[in-house]
Each structure stands twice: as C-alpha cells, then as structure tokens.
Amino acid sequence: MAEVLIIEDDDRIRPLLVRGLRECGHTVTSAPTGMGGLQLAVDSSPDLVVLDLGLPDVDGTQVLSMLRAVSQVPVIIASARADDPSLVGALDAGADDYVVKPFTSAQLDARIRAVLRRVEAGRQRPSTITVGGLAVDLAGRRVRLDGAEVDLTPREFDLLAHLAERPGEVVTKRDLLVEVWRQPWGGSDKTVDVHLSWLRRKLGETAAAPRYLTTVRGVGVRLAAPEQDG
C-alpha cells in the first residue's frame, strides 16, 4: 500500500487515524504541527499527505503552499466543514481531494486509494491529447486547432483540458465546478455556461452550431471530434 503522512493536531483523532490506516495496510507517520509535518514530508517523501487545515502553529493552507514549493506529493485536506472558505483556497493551492470531519479510517482509505489511482493515471497519460484537429498540450498549456494556436485564458484551458481527458464522455456541470473551479459544494451553472460560450467562440463554433463542444441538455457537455458529433 502507500506511505502516508498525517498532519493533525487533535491528540484524539491522530492516533485513531494512524492505527486505522495501518490496519488498512498503509505505512503511516504523523505530526501534530504544520512545521513538523512539513519537515517530515521533506525528509521522508511520503506517497500522500493528509493535512488538517486547523493547525496550532501555521495555517494548513500555508503548509500546503510551502509543501507545493518543494513537492508534488498528493494531498488530501481534512476539513471541519464542507462549506469552509479555506477549503476552496486549499484546493486552488494544489490539494488533490478533501474529507469532511467526522470521517472513518475506511472512508479516508478509500479517498487515498482513489487519489493515488488518479495520480498514477496522470503519469501514464500522454502529454498532448488530440481530438480531431484539436491538440491540447497539457504540459505546455497550449492549444492548437487545425495547426493554428488558440489563445485561451488559464480557466478556459483548464476547462478544455478536463474535457479533452474525457473525449466522447458527457461531463456534468457539477463535475466541472468541482474539478475545474474547485467549488466542492457546487456553484452556479451560469459560470460554466459563460466559459463554455467563450471557449466555443475561440474554437470557431456556437452552441447552436457545435463542432467540438456539444451540450447535452439537462446533463452536461461533451468534447468530441466533429465527425463523432455528426
């Protein structure tokens, strides 16, 4: 299984999580403070970090930012509330997932395995995804359409990349809000609609006359090569 580092200040919760994850087969270390956890993360290079946001010495979001400066280790945030504003900040800062307290070791183990599967899949994915005449360079964050470069904003690129990684699939607006906008408790569908409209314009199409981006009413949006939409 995985080497997991838990950064959690609660002396009641931390040993329970350590024991529970060890019973699930993981190798587990822990720290009660942000700076102590950061040092452990640098020294031991764990496979994944579980990070509490409410730490006594340094805010969890700051710990995440410092960690991201030296490592791309997957991070799961432990939050007291699903609507905690700092949770969005942590996801924007590079956290991979979150769990809301109270949670069981089995639930955390399931999240850990899911995140590690996504990380492994990401390592195996191609650096450039091609859908018809559309080429999305994930590493270089560049897009070409029929050989011509398309100038996208960072959010437009993230939206297109998320869809390009799922060619032919209908992706729901809720999924887009969570994965692209990092809004775990949802947001306005209008936000997605507006960005899709801007993206379509740059790809030379409209909702009424789609080429690559097709809206499935009441469900979501699909990215596919033009011949597949016909």
Side-chain angles (χ1 to χ4, degrees):
M1 294 300 245
E3 294 186 13
V4 179
L5 168 62
I6 297 173
I7 306 176
E8 165 65 64
D9 68 309
D10 193 313
D11 291 333
R12 297 166 302 171
I13 295 175
R14 189 176 62 259
L16 292 175
L17 291 178
V18 169
R19 184 170 67 247
L21 290 182
R22 283 176 178 167
E23 289 173 354
C24 291
H26 300 292
T27 300
V28 187
T29 55
S30 67
T33 64
M35 295 309 295
L38 186 64
Q39 188 63 56
L40 270 177
V42 171
D43 291 343
S44 62
S45 300
D47 296 317
L48 183 141
V49 174
V50 178
L51 174 62
D52 180 35
L53 289 181
L55 296 168
D57 56 337
V58 185
D59 180 77
T61 304
Q62 291 179 282
V63 174
L64 176 61
S65 296
M66 288 187 283
L67 181 59
R68 277 288 169 263
V70 296
S71 172
Q72 290 303 308
V73 61
V75 175
I76 296 177
I77 295 297
S79 176
R81 302 196 322 268
D83 61 350
D84 185 348
S86 60
L87 180 55
V88 174
L91 290 168
D92 280 337
D96 297 89
D97 203 350
Y98 70 98
V99 286
V100 178
K101 299 177 182 179
F103 53 83
T104 66
S105 296
Q107 290 169 332
L108 180 56
D109 174 53
R111 291 295 183 101
I112 289 171
R113 288 185 283 110
V115 166
L116 291 178
R117 282 196 301 270
R118 291 202 300 270
V119 169
E120 183 59 29
R123 289 177 182 146
Q124 296 175 356
R125 73 184 182 184
S127 60
T128 299
I129 299 174
T130 302
V131 181
L134 188 65
V136 182
D137 178 357
L138 300 174
R141 294 183 65 85
R142 301 173 69 181
V143 174
R144 290 185 176 275
L145 178 61
D146 299 328
E149 188 150 356
V150 181
D151 184 24
L152 300 181
T153 66
R155 186 74 77 188
E156 289 166 353
F157 179 87
D158 291 342
L159 173 57
L160 182 61
H162 188 78
L163 294 170
E165 289 174 331
R166 298 154 181 80
E169 291 183 25
V170 178
V171 181
T172 67
K173 292 179 181 178
R174 174 168 291 277
D175 179 70
L176 292 172
L177 285 167
V178 171
E179 298 296 333
V180 178
W181 274 266
R182 298 297 190 180
Q183 296 184 11
W185 54 86
S188 171
D189 286 359
K190 190 68 175 175
T191 298
V192 178
D193 292 336
V194 169
H195 281 79
L196 281 172
S197 176
W198 292 340
L199 186 55
R200 281 190 172 106
R201 187 178 309 142
K202 292 183 178 181
L203 296 180
E205 61 183 78
T206 65
R211 293 186 65 231
Y212 287 91
L213 295 168
T214 302
T215 297
V216 179
R217 189 176 298 276
V219 183
V221 64
R222 180 180 68 245
L223 175 70
E227 58 269 24
Q228 290 177 262
D229 291 328

